[in-house]
Amino acid sequence: MTKINVSNLTNKNPTKDISEDDKKNKLMLSTGKVRRDVKISKDVIFGRKKIPIIAGPNGVESMKLMVGVAKELKKLNIKIIRGHAYKPLTFPYRSKNYKETQSEGMDIMDQIKKEFSLKVVTEVTEIKYLDRISKTADILQIGSRNMQNLELLKEVALTKKPIILKRHFGSSLRDLLGAAEHILVEGNFNLIFCERGVSIPHTHRETSRFALDIQAIPALKEITKFPVISDPSHASFWAPWVPSLTFASIAAGCDGLIIEMHPNPKKSLVDPLQPLNYSQFKELVKKSKKVANSLNRNI
Ligand code: PEP
Ligand code: MN
């Protein structure tokens, strides 16, 4: 993997929106019409007709939790499990019970991966955790809050692993693509964009902290050549709305989904309003297949 050689540019026409000059000169690696797939394994490829689902809890709370989740995923033929081991909460005092499981959590993920032949997604919050996470994870997630942590993006890119880059909830698509260029310029083209909702001025209840920017999906697919996935769970923060937003994402052309699920959402150590329980998740997968099929895609 070699760093891409690009000439130095001066920002002659800074703009808020993506201009033709951006596409030619500043966002030259992420934009383009010829689509690129991101292959995780023989049967998991982002950017094709089949839409992969990534599912699991927020955090790798325990072996018991992850074994239960893995079994559910296997039953439904879902190939990618998620769970973070290094992830501080938005508020430091929010949960007495929550603690990052760190390397122990990654050891759990390692065993799950081997025993159930699942692919693993874990978020990398700090460069200092990158070595341990990338030993196990097949896909490295950059969380929305780190979208413009450019030093982190560079180090994550250098692992050569596939990367999910989540758009920050207050960032423009242009800023997202600028961040993406920091990954691509290192020669890592295994990039997957993720829309996870934006902050909006007014919401009609406290659970809608964010709103899924459905328009971002076709917009990103028009401008960039990389797969675009959707995370309706973090966008809505509210489990009952996750199915509708999932179907809307499929209709909007998403190339993958992130769904938070937990055997007992109320007991989830983080964001208990958001995960689907097993039967809700099963129903979501069943209905999503129908929506995808009606649009000449599948799950
Ligand atoms: C997550 O994926 O668990 C997460 C916290 O995502 P985001 O960075 O989009 O909030
Ligand atoms: Mn989460």
Side-chain angles (χ1 to χ4, degrees), residues 52 78 85 94 116 188 191 195:
I78 304 289
R94 198 166 85 198
F116 295 93
N188 187 340
L191 177 63
E195 175 54 35

PDB file of all heavy atoms in Angstrom, residues 52 78 85 94 116 188 191 195:
ATOM      1  N   PRO A  52     -25.312  -6.046   3.172  1.00  0.00           N
ATOM      2  CA  PRO A  52     -24.922  -6.674   4.446  1.00  0.00           C
ATOM      3  C   PRO A  52     -25.466  -5.901   5.652  1.00  0.00           C
ATOM      4  O   PRO A  52     -25.568  -4.673   5.634  1.00  0.00           O
ATOM      5  CB  PRO A  52     -23.387  -6.605   4.430  1.00  0.00           C
ATOM      6  CG  PRO A  52     -22.998  -6.240   3.035  1.00  0.00           C
ATOM      7  CD  PRO A  52     -24.154  -5.467   2.473  1.00  0.00           C
ATOM      8  N   ILE A  78     -26.856 -13.603   9.334  1.00  0.00           N
ATOM      9  CA  ILE A  78     -26.168 -12.303   9.362  1.00  0.00           C
ATOM     10  C   ILE A  78     -24.691 -12.594   9.631  1.00  0.00           C
ATOM     11  O   ILE A  78     -24.362 -13.387  10.511  1.00  0.00           O
ATOM     12  CB  ILE A  78     -26.737 -11.394  10.485  1.00  0.00           C
ATOM     13  CG1 ILE A  78     -28.252 -11.213  10.338  1.00  0.00           C
ATOM     14  CG2 ILE A  78     -26.002 -10.055  10.565  1.00  0.00           C
ATOM     15  CD1 ILE A  78     -28.734 -10.398   9.217  1.00  0.00           C
ATOM     16  N   ALA A  85     -15.212  -2.094  22.593  1.00  0.00           N
ATOM     17  CA  ALA A  85     -14.554  -2.440  23.849  1.00  0.00           C
ATOM     18  C   ALA A  85     -13.901  -1.211  24.484  1.00  0.00           C
ATOM     19  O   ALA A  85     -13.645  -1.183  25.680  1.00  0.00           O
ATOM     20  CB  ALA A  85     -13.520  -3.528  23.597  1.00  0.00           C
ATOM     21  N   ARG A  94     -22.832   8.918  33.541  1.00  0.00           N
ATOM     22  CA  ARG A  94     -24.171   8.498  33.144  1.00  0.00           C
ATOM     23  C   ARG A  94     -24.580   7.130  33.678  1.00  0.00           C
ATOM     24  O   ARG A  94     -25.729   6.899  33.983  1.00  0.00           O
ATOM     25  CB  ARG A  94     -24.313   8.533  31.623  1.00  0.00           C
ATOM     26  CG  ARG A  94     -25.762   8.543  31.212  1.00  0.00           C
ATOM     27  CD  ARG A  94     -25.919   8.909  29.765  1.00  0.00           C
ATOM     28  NE  ARG A  94     -25.759   7.743  28.916  1.00  0.00           N
ATOM     29  CZ  ARG A  94     -25.508   7.810  27.628  1.00  0.00           C
ATOM     30  NH1 ARG A  94     -25.340   8.968  27.057  1.00  0.00           N
ATOM     31  NH2 ARG A  94     -25.407   6.726  26.920  1.00  0.00           N
ATOM     32  N   PHE A 116     -17.895 -18.677  15.869  1.00  0.00           N
ATOM     33  CA  PHE A 116     -19.091 -18.510  15.041  1.00  0.00           C
ATOM     34  C   PHE A 116     -18.789 -18.091  13.600  1.00  0.00           C
ATOM     35  O   PHE A 116     -19.700 -17.841  12.830  1.00  0.00           O
ATOM     36  CB  PHE A 116     -20.036 -17.488  15.687  1.00  0.00           C
ATOM     37  CG  PHE A 116     -20.590 -17.947  17.009  1.00  0.00           C
ATOM     38  CD1 PHE A 116     -19.960 -17.609  18.195  1.00  0.00           C
ATOM     39  CD2 PHE A 116     -21.731 -18.741  17.055  1.00  0.00           C
ATOM     40  CE1 PHE A 116     -20.459 -18.038  19.423  1.00  0.00           C
ATOM     41  CE2 PHE A 116     -22.244 -19.169  18.275  1.00  0.00           C
ATOM     42  CZ  PHE A 116     -21.598 -18.824  19.462  1.00  0.00           C
ATOM     43  N   ASN A 188      -5.353   3.431   1.238  1.00  0.00           N
ATOM     44  CA  ASN A 188      -6.375   2.483   1.700  1.00  0.00           C
ATOM     45  C   ASN A 188      -7.722   2.844   1.056  1.00  0.00           C
ATOM     46  O   ASN A 188      -8.337   3.855   1.395  1.00  0.00           O
ATOM     47  CB  ASN A 188      -6.486   2.511   3.229  1.00  0.00           C
ATOM     48  CG  ASN A 188      -7.407   1.427   3.757  1.00  0.00           C
ATOM     49  OD1 ASN A 188      -8.242   0.899   3.020  1.00  0.00           O
ATOM     50  ND2 ASN A 188      -7.265   1.093   5.030  1.00  0.00           N
ATOM     51  N   LEU A 191     -12.943   1.746   1.917  1.00  0.00           N
ATOM     52  CA  LEU A 191     -13.677   2.756   2.676  1.00  0.00           C
ATOM     53  C   LEU A 191     -15.188   2.608   2.502  1.00  0.00           C
ATOM     54  O   LEU A 191     -15.683   2.441   1.393  1.00  0.00           O
ATOM     55  CB  LEU A 191     -13.229   4.144   2.184  1.00  0.00           C
ATOM     56  CG  LEU A 191     -13.935   5.331   2.806  1.00  0.00           C
ATOM     57  CD1 LEU A 191     -13.680   5.408   4.311  1.00  0.00           C
ATOM     58  CD2 LEU A 191     -13.477   6.624   2.147  1.00  0.00           C
ATOM     59  N   GLU A 195     -23.950   6.990   7.193  1.00  0.00           N
ATOM     60  CA  GLU A 195     -24.837   8.074   7.624  1.00  0.00           C
ATOM     61  C   GLU A 195     -25.503   7.650   8.928  1.00  0.00           C
ATOM     62  O   GLU A 195     -26.124   6.592   8.984  1.00  0.00           O
ATOM     63  CB  GLU A 195     -25.870   8.360   6.515  1.00  0.00           C
ATOM     64  CG  GLU A 195     -26.911   9.386   6.901  1.00  0.00           C
ATOM     65  CD  GLU A 195     -26.331  10.700   7.384  1.00  0.00           C
ATOM     66  OE1 GLU A 195     -25.287  11.143   6.885  1.00  0.00           O
ATOM     67  OE2 GLU A 195     -26.923  11.284   8.311  1.00  0.00           O
TER      68      GLU A 195
END
